[in-house]
Amino acid sequence: MPQTRQMAGFALGEDLQVRYGKVRALSEALVAPLSDADATIQSMEDASPAKWHLAHTTWFWETFLLRDNLDGYGLFDENWPFVFNSYYEAEGERIARFSRGMLSRPTVHEICQWRAHVDAAMGTLFEREELAPLIELGLSHEQQHQELLLTDIKHALFQNPLGVAIWDGSAPHSVTSGDGWHTHPGGIARVGKQTDGFAFDCEGPAHRVLLEPFALSARLVTNGEWAQFMADGGYENAALWLSDGWAWVNENAIAAPSYWRDDEHFTHSGWSARNPDAPVSHISYYEADAFATWAGQRLPTEFEWEAIARGQEGHDAAHDPAAGNQLDEAEPPLPAGSPGLFGDCWQFTRSAYLPYPGFEPAPGAVGEYNGKFMSGQFVLKGASCATPRGHSRASYRNFFYPHQRWQFTGLRLAKDCR
Ligand SMILES: [Fe+2]
């Protein structure tokens, strides 16, 4: 399939329908370099086929917008919700997650026909003001799946010993990894959703937290620093690891970040030399914590991270969530070391993904979006090189289990200032 390039960036206040068109186009552009076979395989239960992402996001629009709000709308295919519902119990039975890779049909072409059908039907809904919040949710949902599509296809292609590249390597980004620390005097900070703009339900309500004086590194930990950790026996020293992490290292023979091979790493452009100055990525929470211990520092809490991102009067200026190395178009994502808190890699915090005081899931099936996953996961802040620009914000809470590392996950160190 020919490669197409689409801009994903949003202009502030841009018309909802225009944004819808851009988001939908980017999803298809990301799949354009894939064969139907590439788009069908599922390399592990955590990852879904690229084709499934194209279809599931369309199921979301068809189900929650068109079926529920457009009189007379008929489903494109009544059998498809069973295979493209992800985890919504309120929407009934569905295919087992690990069977998504068995769906040789429908083809990518047939799914794109469904996408066009849904896009055409959506046209009349943009004028209905009461649907705007649900359309915003659908846009953010599809953007989340764009990032997953990129990380899932990377994991799938990695299984192929031929070193498949789906894009040419992009020109190297400039690396501006300045040293230094963002300091915070401590005190009461207000965190969580604080604007009228869209946010997921798990980002609210806004509330106060008490911070002790701390500092947050001005940059992410690099590949070169990670190589030092390895050379110093970081993966062999039980004293550096959480108990669960040490068991995970030994049970899975973990000795390096995912996608590392000698001085190379696997990317969407195939195998290439690692840049020692670029941020390390594809590490688990366990690895991030062990590195921080080795470095004599620690991971930040989600509240410390957010307080720095928002800026404090008389201290650091607020950081722009739309700045940094994030996804603008169908291009190979690669961490580079951009300044600011957003971009390159999602950053582990030591905060468990739990409800904020007063949290209530949204009513109905979409209430299953976040709240039911608040068990055993950690919050990650920022955005990655695979996050569509405009998607993240200071209150954004990404979350993963502590052993997972197929996302662009990195770390930014923190320390106490007492
Ligand atoms: Fe989803």
Side-chain angles (χ1 to χ4, degrees), residues 274-291:
R274 283 195 309 273
N275 179 350
D277 296 327
V280 67
S281 63
H282 298 296
I283 53 170
S284 68
Y285 176 85
Y286 297 135
E287 289 168 287
D289 184 84
F291 182 96

Side-chain angles (χ1 to χ4, degrees), residues 189-338:
R190 190 163 172 80
V191 297
K193 173 180 166 30
Q194 294 170 42
T195 68
D196 292 336
F198 174 80
F200 288 112
D201 56 2
C202 65
E203 297 170 51
H207 61 288
R208 295 164 298 169
V209 295
L210 181 60
L211 303 178
E212 297 296 329
F214 72 95
L216 183 70
S217 177
R219 63 171 178 82
L220 299 173
V221 168
T222 65
N223 287 324
E225 290 168 324
W226 203 272
Q228 290 173 27
F229 169 70
M230 289 167 61
D232 197 36
Y235 282 96
E236 289 104 52
N237 183 357
L240 299 175
W241 293 79
L242 295 164
S243 177
D244 286 351
W246 186 240
W248 172 79
V249 161
N250 287 292
E251 284 165 15
N252 298 285
I254 303 292
S258 271
Y259 303 122
W260 280 34
R261 179 179 78 182
D262 301 324
D263 292 331
E264 296 181 313
H265 62 166
F266 184 71
T267 73
H268 291 83
S269 308
W271 287 97
S272 64
R274 283 195 309 273
N275 179 350
D277 296 327
V280 67
S281 63
H282 298 296
I283 53 170
S284 68
Y285 176 85
Y286 297 135
E287 289 168 287
D289 184 84
F291 182 96
T293 301
W294 174 77
Q297 290 157 7
R298 63 171 174 81
L299 302 181
T301 69
E302 63 168 315
F303 307 123
E304 289 171 335
W305 195 102
E306 185 173 338
I308 295 295
R310 290 187 182 282
Q312 299 288 318
E313 209 174 327
H315 298 277
D316 295 302
H319 293 254
D320 181 0
N325 177 18
Q326 302 185 48
L327 190 74
D328 288 308
E329 58 187 351
E331 59 189 349
L334 193 63
S338 53

